[in-house]
Amino acid sequence: MIELCQPPDPSPRTPVLKCPPGATDCHVHVYGPVARYPVASTRAFDVPDALPSTLNELLDTLGIDRVVLVQPSGYGTDNRRHLDALSEAGRPARMIASLRADVSDAELERLNSAGVRGIRYTIGHAGAAPLEEMPEMARRIASLGWHVQLHVMSDCGRDPLAEMQGALSSLPVDVVLDHVGSVRPSGGINQPTFKALLGLLETGRCWVKLSAAYRVAEAPPYAEMKPFVDAMLEVNPDRLLWGSDWPHVAFKGKMPNTADLLDQMLTWVPDELMRTRILVENPARLYGFEEAAR
């Protein structure tokens, strides 16, 4: 029997951090209703409805003006739920899709017009688009200005990011790493995964999402991650992004209030101008929100 995830905290509080205009949540998912948007048979878990209307209310509470919808593993390569959510988010929105190599050029153009800006690959999930197709798809999406997004769900005792560093660097598009590459603070900043991440970040063609610390650290503000953030800030602050990872699926610990995940930035990045760069300026460039504002 497939397990049902716990829902996110239903009462997000007003954060201490006052977001600057144009602040962007670069990593959210939506789910349901299942009768209209069936989940994939390859899913590892079920998720309670997390509707665009609920997301809209959350982002209003947090003071977030823009959002990036990310295709989750639970829908496989059926992107309809998130494509529809682009017009339901109540604010400028972009999307990262999951696509197979048989997608037509015409469909890529249609998705680009709808607001898609990248393709997501997930290591460790049976329903994800195959990594073997990534080089070909990267070549095809380069002219659209899209990027490849990579999520390492399970390392199976290996360091896949370190193993893939050369291949990722050779792609003709930028790469976005979910959730600080899923590094665990217990491994220290010299662990191979994080060293590979810093090497990719140094190229200027890799972006890293400061997200999902609640999955690897103890409690807000997840201070164990600050040495990692400091190291990334030193290497390339222009390639860092922030995301809430709402609705925090498949999390078995004490569910954080989503505002905690925004307020963690006060500890991680105490400089206000640097936070504005991460919350506003960097995502505006990557996702093309500047163009939409003109």
Side-chain angles (χ1 to χ4, degrees):
M1 182 175 179
I2 296 178
E3 183 178 2
L4 181 66
C5 298
Q6 64 171 321
D9 189 319
S11 303
R13 61 172 177 81
T14 300
V16 176
L17 192 161
K18 182 175 175 55
C19 284
T24 306
D25 187 336
C26 295
H27 198 102
V28 302
H29 313 291
V30 290
Y31 292 85
V34 70
R36 183 173 179 186
Y37 301 102
V39 290
S41 61
T42 53
R43 69 194 185 281
F45 46 80
D46 282 324
V47 182
D49 279 359
L51 301 175
S53 58
T54 306
L55 173 63
N56 193 359
E57 294 172 1
L58 167 70
L59 297 176
D60 284 346
T61 299
L62 297 181
I64 298 292
D65 292 333
R66 299 165 175 169
V67 67
V68 180
L69 298 150
V70 176
Q71 174 77 356
S73 60
Y75 283 116
T77 56
D78 181 352
N79 295 278
R80 290 175 297 167
R81 169 64 282 188
H82 286 69
L83 286 169
D84 287 350
L86 282 166
S87 62
E88 301 173 276
R91 67 209 68 235
R94 296 288 185 264
M95 181 190 160
I96 307 302
S98 179
L99 299 170
R100 295 298 308 271
D102 59 359
V103 64
S104 68
D105 289 341
E107 177 66 1
L108 290 176
E109 290 287 355
R110 184 187 77 84
L111 294 172
N112 186 63
S113 297
V116 174
R117 292 296 179 267
I119 302 177
R120 191 187 199 205
Y121 292 89
T122 302
I123 298 175
H125 194 279
L131 280 173
E132 293 77 13
E133 295 180 356
M134 183 168 61
E136 176 188 352
M137 290 302 297
R139 177 186 58 78
R140 293 180 62 194
I141 65 176
S143 63
L144 295 171
W146 291 14
H147 58 264
V148 163
Q149 183 168 316
L150 183 65
H151 177 31
V152 181
M153 287 184 64
S154 172
D155 61 13
C156 301
R158 300 162 51 199
D159 290 295
L161 194 59
E163 294 172 7
M164 296 174 65
Q165 183 177 356
L168 293 172
S169 297
S170 69
L171 293 176
V173 297
D174 283 6
V175 174
V176 176
L177 300 179
D178 287 350
H179 313 328
V180 196
S182 298
V183 299
R184 294 186 176 275
S186 59
I189 61 173
N190 290 318
Q191 62 185 282
T193 294
F194 191 62
K195 290 175 72 173
L197 181 151
L198 291 180
L200 289 165
L201 194 61
E202 192 172 18
T203 68
R205 298 182 55 249
C206 175
W207 306 69
V208 179
K209 293 187 182 182
L210 307 181
S211 55
Y214 65 93
R215 298 185 182 273
V216 296
E218 286 298 321
Y222 311 109
E224 306 99 304
M225 293 300 295
K226 186 164 177 21
F228 297 86
V229 176
D230 288 344
M232 290 183 287
L233 287 170
E234 185 174 350
V235 168
N236 199 339
D238 289 337
R239 293 296 180 267
L240 301 182
L241 310 161
W242 173 82
S244 69
D245 194 33
W246 187 87
H248 322 306
V249 301
F251 180 59
K252 297 183 183 299
K254 183 180 185 301
M255 184 64 68
N257 190 293
T258 305
D260 293 335
L261 309 176
L262 181 59
D263 282 342
Q264 74 190 19
M265 294 294 286
L266 292 168
T267 297
W268 289 9
V269 188
D271 181 79
E272 183 177 1
L273 292 178
M274 188 65 74
R275 285 200 307 272
T276 297
R277 192 183 302 188
I278 294 169
L279 290 170
V280 181
E281 298 165 13
N282 293 352
R285 287 199 309 276
L286 178 62
Y287 298 107
F289 285 117
E290 291 175 318
E291 297 174 7
R294 291 175 186 155

